[in-house]
């Protein structure tokens, strides 16, 4: 059954994102999609969706949503404060890493995602029963605002938008929670050197792998600009014939300051790439807000593949431990009437 949400308040930079728009890079169309696909998958698992279903990505502050039709289940993956307001006006807190189901007239308000470290807010995902069913564009519902593709008319959500989704059956459904937060590993960001490492001096390569870099405010879903030691180019120079780039590629223009390409990055570029972030560590970059410091560590392709396999196993174990629970104060009438509550009889006058 269909359901519908109204965006009462938009929050900041809240957009519909799914796993991404694959298969169109040859036409110049970026992948886009969730900056942290691991948390996206966790949010979807909690509400029973496919791992790559469309959800709401919260970068700064979250939205306020009101159920207009149907019963809608929400999940929160990430450390974010939320509270629901029932149609009768009752206010209740909503915990992260679990679900809550709202009926017509109920509202839910999401705050800011908490930063795992100093440097500003982090990132979180709100899963919605059935996924956010906005029209797919090029096989994806992901929002790519630069070309107005996907999402809600190609932009972040705005007050007054109506978001179609799916209704949950039953008047008192079970809710679900994960076995604690799903946490990314710490430590240096792992990279594979190149493909144009020969465009940098030995001193630049040594600095890249030994010195910290700071995330600047001049960063967005397209690229993360870093400030740190100047990475000097070799005699081959700071320009190359434009070739293919991908999320995770670390370009270094003539000023010697690295740029890590992110989910909305272009498909070709003309700056040499000193290294490429491995797939398993790309989600960690989504949580590195301005002011955060990054260090880089060299790995080979076998180590990169092992890290990705370990990440997939961690996610699978977390999803496997999702458990149902009955919210406090909710009575399951069907279970009550169907249970054997009397184990024997005694005389009333005994």
């Amino acid at each position: 059954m269909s359901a519908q949400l109204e965006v009462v308040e938009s929050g900041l930079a809240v957009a519909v994102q799914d796993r991404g728009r694959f298969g169109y890079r040859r036409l110049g169309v970026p992948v886009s999609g969730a900056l942290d696909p691991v948390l996206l998958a966790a949010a979807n698992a909690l509400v029973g969706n496919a791992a790559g279903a469309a959800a709401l990505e919260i970068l700064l502050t979250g939205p306020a949503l009101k159920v207009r039709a149907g019963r809608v289940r929400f999940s929160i993956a990430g450390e974010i404060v939320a509270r629901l307001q029932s149609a009768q006006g009752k206010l209740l807190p909503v915990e992260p890493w679990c679900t809550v189901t709202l009926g017509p007239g109920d509202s839910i308000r999401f705050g800011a995602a908490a930063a795992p470290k100093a440097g500003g807010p982090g990132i979180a995902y709100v899963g919605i029963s059935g996924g956010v069913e906005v029209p797919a564009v090029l096989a994806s519902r992901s929002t790519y605002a630069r070309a107005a593709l996907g999402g809600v008319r190609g932009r972040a959500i705005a007050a007054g938008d109506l978001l179609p989704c799916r209704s949950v059956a039953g008047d008192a459904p079970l809710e679900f929670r994960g076995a604690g937060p799903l946490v990314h590993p710490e430590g240096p960001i792992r990279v594979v050197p190149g493909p144009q490492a020969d465009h940098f001096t030995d001193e630049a390569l040594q600095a890249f792998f030994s010195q910290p870099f700071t995330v600047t405010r001049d960063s967005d879903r397209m690229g993360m600009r870093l400030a740190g030691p100047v990475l000097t180019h070799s005699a081959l120079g700071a320009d190359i014939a434009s070739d293919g780039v991908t999320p995770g590629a670390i370009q270094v223009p003539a000023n010697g300051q690295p740029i890590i390409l992110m989910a909305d990055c272009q498909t070709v570029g003309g700056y040499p790439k000193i290294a490429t972030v491995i797939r398993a560590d790309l989600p960690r970059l989504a949580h590195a807000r301005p002011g955060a410091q990054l260090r880089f560590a060299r790995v080979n392709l076998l180590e990169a593949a092992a890290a990705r396999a370990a990440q997939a196993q961690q996610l699978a174990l977390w999803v496997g431990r999702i458990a149902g629970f009955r919210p406090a104060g909710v009575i399951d009438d069907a279970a009550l009437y169907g249970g054997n509550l009397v184990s024997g009889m005694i005389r009333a006058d005994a």
Side-chain angles (χ1 to χ4, degrees):
M1 294 176 59
S2 62
Q4 190 177 70
L5 298 172
E6 178 188 356
V7 179
V8 179
E9 295 179 14
S10 63
L12 293 174
V14 178
V16 176
Q17 298 292 349
D18 60 18
R19 65 184 293 268
R21 187 169 283 108
F22 294 91
Y24 297 94
R25 287 172 54 80
R26 68 187 186 279
L27 303 177
V29 180
V31 172
S32 299
L35 289 171
D36 188 339
V38 176
L39 287 198
L40 172 71
N44 278 320
L46 285 166
V47 293
N49 295 342
L56 296 179
E57 183 177 77
I58 297 176
L59 293 175
L60 297 172
T61 60
L65 307 172
K66 185 173 185 177
V67 179
R68 284 299 183 189
R71 292 180 59 79
V72 181
R73 175 173 286 148
F74 298 86
S75 66
I76 302 172
E79 298 299 328
I80 187 170
V81 176
R83 72 175 190 272
L84 70 86
Q85 180 172 1
S86 69
Q88 294 73 37
K90 186 176 182 181
L91 290 173
L92 292 171
V94 180
E95 297 180 2
W97 309 104
C98 69
T99 70
V100 63
T101 303
L102 278 62
D106 295 343
S107 300
I108 187 166
R109 182 184 299 273
F110 300 93
K117 295 182 178 180
I123 190 172
Y125 291 86
V126 174
I128 296 173
S129 51
V132 184
E133 295 187 326
V134 294
V137 179
L138 298 180
S140 172
R141 294 182 168 92
S142 282
T143 306
Y144 177 51
R146 280 183 169 82
L149 294 179
V152 181
R153 293 187 286 279
R155 55 166 171 75
I157 63 173
D161 287 343
L162 297 177
L163 305 178
C165 54
R166 289 288 166 179
S167 186
V168 176
D171 293 329
L174 279 174
E175 301 296 352
F176 297 89
R177 63 161 61 99
L182 182 58
V183 180
H184 294 303
E186 297 185 354
I189 300 297
R190 292 165 291 184
V191 301
V192 175
Q196 285 99 28
D198 57 344
H199 276 249
F200 301 89
T201 64
D202 291 341
E203 292 77 15
L205 291 169
Q206 182 179 5
F208 179 75
F209 287 111
S210 63
Q211 300 297 316
F213 291 82
T214 302
V215 178
T216 73
R217 294 188 176 277
D218 190 13
S219 301
D220 57 19
R221 283 182 51 89
M222 184 175 181
M224 176 180 289
R225 291 181 179 269
L226 306 179
V230 174
L231 303 178
T232 306
H233 294 84
S234 69
L236 293 175
D239 294 294
I240 61 171
S242 292
D243 64 0
V245 296
T246 186
I250 305 177
Q251 294 183 318
V252 183
N255 66 2
Q257 298 298 286
I259 304 169
I260 307 177
L261 301 185
M262 303 293 281
D264 283 356
C265 73
Q266 71 277 19
T267 58
V268 296
Y271 296 134
K273 296 170 282 294
I274 194 169
T276 303
V277 178
I278 67 172
R279 181 69 64 88
D281 280 0
L282 275 175
R284 295 173 54 195
L285 296 176
H287 302 268
R289 310 312 298 167
Q293 286 200 332
L294 303 179
R295 287 180 176 270
F296 299 99
R298 184 195 315 257
V299 296
N300 59 37
L301 292 178
L302 288 178
E303 291 169 321
R308 190 173 181 187
Q311 183 183 73
Q313 182 181 34
Q314 179 196 24
L315 175 61
L317 288 172
W318 190 90
V319 170
R321 292 172 181 154
I322 292 174
F325 69 96
R326 188 70 59 185
V330 174
I331 298 175
D332 188 342
D333 291 336
L336 181 65
Y337 295 145
N340 179 14
L341 304 182
V342 179
S343 60
M345 295 288 291
I346 62 172
R347 288 171 57 98
D349 59 353

